[in-house]
């Protein structure tokens, strides 16, 4: 019970840092939602492509140059007027011109007309005849006033008694002077956009974020064309007409797309009202839930994939999210946060890479400590085996000496000579086992090096065969040598002698009485091939993959022949030290052939 509690505490401790990072990233992205709007609106409007706008809106643009001559006649002076000079709204007032312009527009039966210039007390006392009253006070015309507050309002000259034909053009500027939102005028005088739309089509939109569709997107006509009637007969028919100027004091509205004339700005707002294009924002809790889902996905990705793959997936998640956000914004006028998710992905990447780095460093330190323990244990094992092996060599040598001396005695019975012979054989087998273990320890030591010298490989093989002839003779095994003449090469004579001694001895050992062993050598341009073939029982297929391992012998050989299972391990190790390789071809009942390949110019 106590162990279970400790394991549970250890588990919660390990997960605490993991999930606290995810929670921190998610909370930080929620905070960023508050900063994911204002400046980004501007960027979205600038990078978006051409957007369609309603064809119901037409602009009539009055230029200062249209009124220069009239102004000069009134003041008996010549004014140096250019298009960049700011003038007041009253500069553009001429009763006769406005009467003619509005008459031309009204004759084509527009839906509504909005005048974005203020003509009130700034133009002085205005006397209207009956025809002018009909035109100027036509219910389709909405005249601008500069404020929505009734107590501070200056009324335009053509205001109706019920004030139904006036509307304000006051804008709501942010701290940086840019107009991004439509001022809420509920309970006060309507803005000119809603006033015009209300006369033709009802809208429930009030305070909203304006969806700018681009500069110069409306059909525009100049004053002179209107006065001359140089327009199609249905140019204004069923249209919403905004009249304004390019250059007056405060005539420009600063928008995310740049400076925009007031009548074009209010046309943009009207387009939003008509088509319900105001930007809609999701609820904070919905955005927070989306960020939570993104957090979980990102954490799962970074914990289940390698770093390179995780980075690639993060890149595509960010790209797809950005494209989706822009598409939804342009198609459905819906604002989906962009900065918060991207910052969230970056933050998760940074924090979790650091988290993984700490875990890897800790695991590396633990691995190093474990390697030190294993190295000490391996050294202790080797020292123990080496100590035991060396300590056994002396008593074995003494045993062999005693056996030889006793066997030489003449007064010992014959059956004792046989026992002494068997004792000598057993001591020699034990000595070979010890020698094999010592060889393995030596070659696996870190400071083991091969000592190459120029020698004749055929001569080494002949010496090995000569040493093993007595063993072959006891079993009546014939050794057939076919050695091609070869050039001298560099190799470690001691190691290669051990290689062929093991291979030839095994061939004799596992060959039945009266069998044969064939040894052939051949030289090519790049390597030397040595074949050692016997007519023994062969090696089973399931054993062939394991015979190169330490202390491994064939399943059927443990009881038939004696051995340590180290010989072929050492053979393969020594050959690979020379840059060569060894393979075999064996079939049960037909014998075994070992193929040794040594490169003439080995790469060590």
């Amino acid at each position: 019970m106590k162990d279970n509690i400790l394991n549970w505490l250890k588990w919660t401790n390990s997960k605490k840092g993991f999930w606290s990072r995810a929670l921190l990233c998610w909370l930080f992205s929620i905070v960023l939602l508050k900063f994911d709007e204002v400046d980004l609106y501007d960027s979205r409007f600038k990078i978006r492509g051409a957007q369609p706008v309603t064809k119901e809106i037409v602009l009539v643009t009055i230029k200062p140059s249209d009124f220069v001559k009239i102004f000069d006649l009134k003041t008996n002076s010549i004014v140096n007027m250019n298009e960049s000079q700011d003038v007041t709204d009253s500069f553009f007032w001429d009763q006769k011109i406005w009467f003619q312009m509005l008459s031309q527009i009204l004759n084509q039966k527009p839906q509504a007309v909005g005048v974005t210039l203020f003509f009130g007390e700034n133009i002085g006392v205005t006397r209207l005849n009956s025809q002018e009253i009909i035109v100027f006070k036509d219910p389709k015309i909405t005249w601008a006033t500069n404020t929505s507050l009734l107590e501070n309002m200056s009324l335009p000259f053509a205001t109706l008694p019920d004030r139904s034909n006036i509307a304000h053009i006051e804008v709501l500027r942010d701290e940086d002077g840019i107009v991004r939102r439509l001022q809420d005028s509920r309970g006060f005088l309507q803005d000119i956009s809603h006033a015009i739309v209300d006369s033709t089509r009802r809208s429930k939109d009030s305070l909203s974020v304006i969806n700018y569709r681009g500069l110069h997107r409306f059909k525009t006509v100049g004053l002179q064309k209107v006065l001359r009637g140089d327009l199609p007969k249905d140019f204004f028919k069923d249209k919403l007409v905004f009249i304004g100027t390019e250059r007056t004091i405060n005539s420009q509205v600063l928008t995310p797309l740049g400076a925009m004339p007031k009548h074009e700005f209010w046309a943009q707002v009207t387009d939003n009202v008509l088509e319900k294009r105001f930007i809609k924002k999701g609820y904070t809790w919905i955005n927070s839930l989306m960020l939570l889902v993104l957090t979980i996905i990102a954490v799962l990705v970074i914990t289940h994939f390698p770093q390179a793959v995780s980075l690639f997936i993060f890149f595509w998640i960010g790209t797809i999210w950005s494209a989706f956000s822009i598409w939804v914004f342009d198609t459905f006028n819906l604002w989906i946060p962009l900065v918060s998710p991207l910052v969230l992905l970056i933050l998760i990447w940074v924090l979790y890479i650091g988290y993984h780095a700490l875990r890897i460093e800790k695991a590396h330190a633990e691995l190093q400590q474990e390697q030190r323990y294993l190295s000490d244990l391996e050294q202790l094992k080797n020292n123990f085996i080496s100590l035991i092996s060396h300590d056994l060599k002396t008593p074995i040598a003494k045993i062999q000496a005693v056996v030889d001396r006793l066997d030489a005695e003449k007064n010992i019975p014959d059956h004792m000579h046989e026992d002494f012979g068997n004792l000598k054989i057993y001591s020699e087998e034990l000595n070979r086992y010890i020698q094999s273990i010592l060889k393995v320890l030596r070659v696996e030591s870190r400071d083991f090096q091969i000592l190459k010298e120029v020698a004749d490989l055929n001569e080494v093989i002949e010496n090995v065969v000569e040493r093993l002839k007595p063993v072959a003779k006891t079993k009546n095994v014939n050794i057939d040598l076919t050695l091609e003449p070869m050039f001298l090469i560099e190799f470690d004579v001691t190691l290669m002698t051990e290689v062929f001694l093991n291979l030839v001895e095994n061939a004799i050992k596992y060959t039945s009485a009266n069998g044969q062993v064939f040894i052939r050598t051949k030289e090519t341009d790049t390597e030397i091939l040595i074949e050692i073939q016997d007519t023994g029982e062969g090696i089973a297929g399931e054993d062939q993959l394991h015979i190169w391992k330490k202390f491994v012998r064939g399943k059927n050989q443990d009881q038939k022949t004696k051995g340590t299972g180290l010989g072929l391990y050492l053979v393969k190790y020594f050959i690979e030290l020379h840059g060569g390789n060894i393979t075999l071809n064996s079939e049960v009942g037909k014998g075994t052939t070992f193929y040794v390949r040594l490169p003439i110019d080995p790469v060590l």
Side-chain angles (χ1 to χ4, degrees):
M1 182 68 179
K2 183 178 179 181
D3 292 339
N4 291 335
I5 294 175
L6 290 174
N7 289 335
W8 182 83
L9 289 174
K10 186 182 294 184
W11 182 86
T12 53
N13 252 358
S14 65
K15 297 294 180 182
K16 183 178 179 181
F18 182 86
W19 290 111
S20 62
R21 284 171 169 78
L23 179 62
L24 177 64
C25 295
W26 178 56
L27 293 176
F28 186 77
S29 66
I30 293 176
V31 173
L32 282 180
L33 286 174
K34 295 185 176 294
F35 306 96
D36 202 355
E37 297 178 5
V38 177
D39 292 334
L40 285 182
Y41 286 149
D42 301 358
S43 301
R44 290 286 182 94
F45 295 137
K46 291 175 183 177
I47 66 174
R48 76 194 318 184
Q51 298 292 308
V53 294
T54 177
K55 296 180 180 179
E56 296 181 51
I57 300 174
V58 176
L59 305 182
V60 177
T61 301
I62 302 172
K63 298 181 180 181
S65 57
D66 295 331
F67 282 80
V68 169
K69 292 181 180 179
I70 299 172
F71 183 83
D72 290 344
L73 290 174
K74 288 180 179 180
T75 59
N76 294 322
S77 63
I78 298 177
V79 177
N80 181 19
M81 178 64 65
N82 58 62
E83 297 299 329
S84 63
Q85 182 175 347
D86 282 331
V87 291
T88 61
D89 287 358
S90 60
F91 175 83
F92 297 95
W93 172 251
D94 182 274
Q95 192 167 326
K96 181 179 179 180
I97 290 178
W98 277 87
F99 174 75
Q100 292 176 357
M101 177 177 60
L102 293 176
S103 296
Q104 290 282 6
I105 295 173
L106 292 172
N107 285 340
Q108 292 193 11
K109 298 181 180 180
Q111 288 189 29
V113 179
V115 180
T116 59
L117 288 87
F118 174 69
F119 297 130
E121 59 187 14
N122 59 334
I123 61 172
V125 180
T126 303
R127 293 181 175 82
L128 306 176
N129 57 38
S130 57
Q131 291 182 336
E132 290 173 338
I133 291 174
I134 293 173
V135 172
F136 288 135
K137 296 191 178 185
D138 190 293
K140 290 187 176 182
I141 301 177
T142 300
W143 296 88
T145 182
N146 289 326
T147 180
S148 61
L149 300 176
L150 301 178
E151 61 272 16
N152 298 329
M153 186 180 299
S154 297
L155 299 177
F157 76 97
T159 304
L160 293 175
D162 61 357
R163 299 182 179 179
S164 60
N165 68 335
I166 64 173
H168 77 84
I169 55 173
E170 186 177 11
V171 295
L172 179 64
R173 292 182 173 85
D174 290 336
E175 293 181 358
D176 56 1
I178 297 177
V179 178
R180 298 182 179 89
R181 300 172 180 83
L182 184 64
Q183 185 175 7
D184 187 358
S185 58
R186 288 174 294 183
F188 301 94
L189 188 66
Q190 279 189 313
D191 61 73
I192 196 169
S193 176
H194 280 87
I196 287 179
V197 172
D198 284 346
S199 65
T200 58
R201 187 185 307 177
R202 287 286 177 182
S203 172
K204 296 181 180 179
D205 291 321
S206 54
L207 180 62
S208 303
V209 179
I210 302 169
N211 190 353
Y212 290 96
R213 313 293 285 178
L215 292 170
H216 313 301
R217 300 292 297 160
F218 299 99
K219 189 179 291 185
T220 304
V221 65
L223 172 63
Q224 296 303 321
K225 281 193 173 184
V226 177
L227 295 178
R228 293 194 304 266
D230 188 15
L231 295 169
K233 293 182 179 181
D234 59 349
F235 187 79
F236 295 110
K237 183 176 176 61
D238 296 328
K239 299 292 192 298
L240 300 175
V241 183
F242 282 91
I243 304 174
T245 181
E246 291 181 344
R247 304 290 179 183
T248 62
I249 295 176
N250 298 324
S251 68
Q252 302 289 309
V253 178
L254 191 59
T255 71
L257 300 178
M260 186 180 293
K262 275 188 178 179
H263 63 310
E264 185 178 355
F265 166 80
W266 286 109
Q268 294 268 2
V269 176
T270 304
D271 174 64
N272 278 232
V273 174
L274 286 174
E275 305 298 334
K276 297 184 178 179
R277 286 177 174 157
F278 286 106
I279 297 173
K280 299 179 284 291
K281 296 188 297 181
Y283 295 105
T284 301
W285 70 269
I286 295 179
N287 291 333
S288 300
L289 185 60
M290 286 194 303
L291 291 173
L292 178 60
V293 172
L294 183 62
T295 301
I296 295 173
I297 293 174
V299 171
L300 290 177
V301 167
I302 202 169
T303 53
H304 287 77
F305 293 95
Q307 289 186 14
V309 178
S310 300
L311 183 61
F312 178 78
I313 296 175
F314 271 41
F315 172 78
W316 278 108
I317 290 176
T319 301
I320 293 171
W321 186 286
S322 302
F324 176 75
S325 177
I326 294 172
W327 175 74
V328 168
F329 181 77
D330 289 343
T331 306
F332 303 103
N333 310 312
L334 178 63
W335 178 262
I336 294 180
L338 181 57
V339 169
S340 299
L342 296 181
V343 172
L344 174 63
L345 291 175
I346 295 173
L347 194 60
I348 288 176
W349 173 261
V350 172
L351 288 183
Y352 276 86
I353 288 300
Y355 177 76
H356 284 310
L358 290 175
R359 293 187 62 184
I360 292 172
E361 185 177 353
K362 181 180 178 182
H364 182 65
E366 293 176 352
L367 181 61
Q368 285 184 325
Q369 183 66 29
E370 185 177 351
Q371 286 177 338
R372 284 195 292 269
Y373 291 154
L374 291 176
S375 178
D376 293 342
L377 183 61
E378 183 71 15
Q379 186 64 38
L380 181 62
K381 180 198 72 172
N382 292 339
N383 291 341
F384 174 77
I385 295 176
S386 178
L387 180 63
I388 296 299
S389 300
H390 281 86
D391 287 348
L392 285 176
K393 287 173 64 178
T394 300
I396 288 174
K398 291 180 178 180
I399 291 172
Q400 289 178 337
V402 172
V403 169
D404 289 339
R405 188 176 69 252
L406 292 176
D407 191 34
E409 295 288 339
K410 295 181 180 181
N411 56 351
I412 294 178
D414 293 338
H415 69 276
M416 294 294 292
H417 286 287
E418 183 179 354
D419 291 338
F420 287 142
N422 290 334
L423 186 58
K424 184 176 181 180
I425 293 173
Y426 299 151
S427 63
E428 287 177 351
E429 288 180 356
L430 181 58
N431 186 50
R432 282 200 300 272
Y433 294 157
I434 294 172
Q435 293 298 327
S436 297
I437 293 173
L438 291 176
K439 289 174 186 176
V440 171
L441 292 176
R442 186 168 66 88
V443 300
E444 289 186 346
S445 64
R446 297 177 183 176
D447 56 350
F448 177 76
Q449 295 180 348
I450 64 174
L451 302 175
K452 294 168 58 180
E453 57 182 290
V454 177
D456 184 358
L457 192 62
N458 284 340
E459 184 179 346
V460 172
I461 295 174
E462 289 173 348
N463 291 335
V464 167
V465 171
E466 192 66 28
R467 287 175 58 181
L468 294 175
K469 275 185 178 181
V471 180
K473 187 176 181 180
T474 58
K475 297 182 68 176
N476 198 25
V477 172
N478 180 54
I479 301 178
D480 184 278
L481 278 176
T482 306
L483 307 179
E484 290 187 0
M486 293 187 295
F487 290 103
L488 300 180
I489 62 171
E490 283 188 339
F491 60 91
D492 189 311
V493 174
T494 303
L495 297 186
M496 294 311 298
T497 299
E498 189 69 27
V499 167
F500 294 116
L501 195 60
N502 270 282
L503 291 176
V504 176
E505 186 178 15
N506 282 346
I508 297 171
K509 183 190 301 183
Y510 295 110
T511 298
S512 302
N514 303 315
Q516 286 190 322
V517 174
F518 301 92
I519 303 175
R520 293 180 286 269
T521 61
K522 183 170 60 175
E523 183 179 0
T524 66
D525 293 336
T526 58
E527 66 181 8
I528 293 174
L529 173 64
I530 304 98
E531 295 180 17
I532 300 175
Q533 180 182 4
D534 64 59
T535 58
E537 297 179 2
I539 303 173
E542 61 269 20
D543 293 333
Q544 292 182 18
L545 295 176
H546 305 289
I547 61 174
W548 309 108
K549 299 178 181 178
K550 286 188 291 186
F551 304 107
V552 174
R553 303 183 69 228
K555 296 179 181 177
N556 298 326
Q557 301 301 325
D558 290 337
Q559 302 301 326
K560 295 181 180 180
T561 58
K562 298 183 180 296
T564 61
L566 293 173
L568 290 180
Y569 168 77
L570 291 171
V571 164
K572 186 173 186 296
Y573 189 88
F574 292 157
I575 291 174
E576 290 180 349
L577 280 177
H578 286 78
N581 66 82
I582 180 171
T583 57
L584 68 91
N585 182 19
S586 182
E587 187 175 348
V588 176
K590 294 185 179 181
T592 303
T593 303
F594 284 91
Y595 302 94
V596 177
R597 289 178 173 83
L598 295 173
I600 292 178
D601 296 315
V603 179
L604 300 180

